[in-house]
Amino acid sequence: MHAVPESHTVSNPTRSDGPHLDHREAPRPNRHDPAKDEHVLDMSAEELAGALDDVRPTGSLDRTDTQWFRTAVFYEVLVRSFKDSNGDGIGDFKGLESKLDYLQWLGVDCLWLSPFYASPLRDDGYDIADYYSIHPDYGTMEDFEELIAQLHRRGMRIMTDLALNHTSSDHPWFQASRTDPTGPYGDFYVWGDDPERYPEIRVIFTDVETSNWTWDDQRGQYYFHRFYSHQPDLNYDNPAVQEEVFKILSFWMDKGLDGLRLDAIAYLFERDGLGGESLPETIEFVEKIRSFMDTHYPDAVLIAEANQPPAETMQFYGKGERFHMVFNFPVMPRLYQALALGDATPVYSILDELPQLPEGCQWGTFLRNHDELTLEMVDDDVRELMYEAFLPDDEMRAHVGIARRLMPLMNGDRRKVELMFSLLMTLPGAPFIYYGDEIGMLDDTTLPDRYAVRTPMQWDDSEHSGFSTKAPSRLPVVGGTSVAAQLDDAASLLNTVRSMIAERHAHPDLGTAPCEPVETGEEAVLGYQRGDLLFLHNFSDRSIDLGPVELGPYGYAWLPA
């Protein structure tokens, strides 16, 4: 670790001779001034598109750029919870399309959609009942294709989730497997007579499931499931299942998708005595998927959800022939741990553990998403520390984690929220923003499981927060803030986040430059250099004088190195 030389130490945040941020002074975008966007969300689509041409040129999608994801800013949306277009209280593709100008204004490069396939929605769409159709609540296939076209017209990209490890128990394949064990789908799932088989495989949702096996009266056997009992695992030892996967990939990629997040990808195969996580057979199949994608969709990106320690995570990159990106589960909880301790040491330690990525690969950096803040990969002592710091009520617990949004996790402290966004934008990786976190949306902890963090997006201060003209049909609006309330305030959280995104776009080497830890002389202050910028983050509730500059409580700075 390098020490900060005198010329690097910090610049006074009141100076304007270089890019710098702290919680007292947010950067202004290089290309656009949000304070000039009067009533931007009330403009027609045509007027707004014209007003925002200087933010992101229309028609600028470069299909020859196979490394676009390394410098991109991603934004996750739950279609059901984003915007309703037809007044039924359910978000849909047309509603999402109506808000693309907002996402373009914010600076989003790639939209990430959670599953929208036909589903009984027992797990918010991750329980897929038909891989080739769209849930009717969200619109039609034509609506989806138009959404893709409108994104591409703006020079933006789109990716979606595919849950390939399991299906819904309502899927026709599973129903046929139950009723006709010798038929074409009889071996599509993992069946067995011994519910104690695979004892090495941990039960993931220990608060709702006691076993990975569930008895089926109709077939007279147990079926295997890594997650909920209504999500039976597909049998990847069956070549027909593997063939079907490539049909599914082709079907959706041919619609114009730019990438896929493969959900729970570590769990495809099971082996006696070895368990079922990241087995060689799984890695081999991942390589087949990557080869298929490179051949047919060379500018598309594959992202793995693999909640693994650093060394195991590297299996999903290989030498660059597997996934392009893996979500950085090792780093994420350490940011919260550092805040709980007021000590940057956990972040320094985990950054030191991260291996160098293969050429052309990238981390997916995130603070929150549609799931709980998972604490699976920290030890018991750290988990208890996190519960003590961020779980004031046990109702907020979900599985081995905490079902809260970013602002409530930070106890409503804007300084902490900005600190976390600064880390998101500057640590190694491409940043993933969860919808609503840019305005500090709250959550509803009375809702079960992870639904607390999946409530409707809040667009304005009208009834139902501009999400719909009707009360939302499934999850309530939480309230407390909105896009409209912050849009014209240059000092709002929304405009501060937008400014950080613009500053990141102005420094594309933040997507590629190595991260060099810098010793600050203060245990609470994390320092690192990336490219031509030095970043300082104060995890404590006290001001810290670093010489030429004083970082306030939870202050941060981006400085010329």
Side-chain angles (χ1 to χ4, degrees), residues 141-184:
M141 191 67 74
E142 290 73 22
D143 294 338
F144 179 65
E145 291 167 350
E146 180 62 17
L147 174 67
I148 294 175
Q150 289 297 327
L151 279 158
H152 288 170
R153 189 181 73 80
R154 290 165 173 79
M156 300 164 70
R157 288 178 163 87
I158 178 171
M159 56 174 278
T160 187
D161 264 324
L162 262 182
L164 297 175
N165 174 73
H166 52 264
T167 71
S168 166
S169 56
D170 288 6
H171 199 296
W173 297 345
F174 185 68
Q175 294 305 314
S177 191
R178 296 174 67 217
T179 59
D180 187 6
T182 61

Side-chain angles (χ1 to χ4, degrees), residues 7 13 54 127 154 205 210 212 322 325 476 498 529 534:
S7 60
D54 60 328
D127 49 331
R154 290 165 173 79
F205 294 155
T210 58
N212 287 321
R322 296 168 189 170
M325 300 179 71
R498 178 177 181 247
Q529 182 175 335
L534 173 70

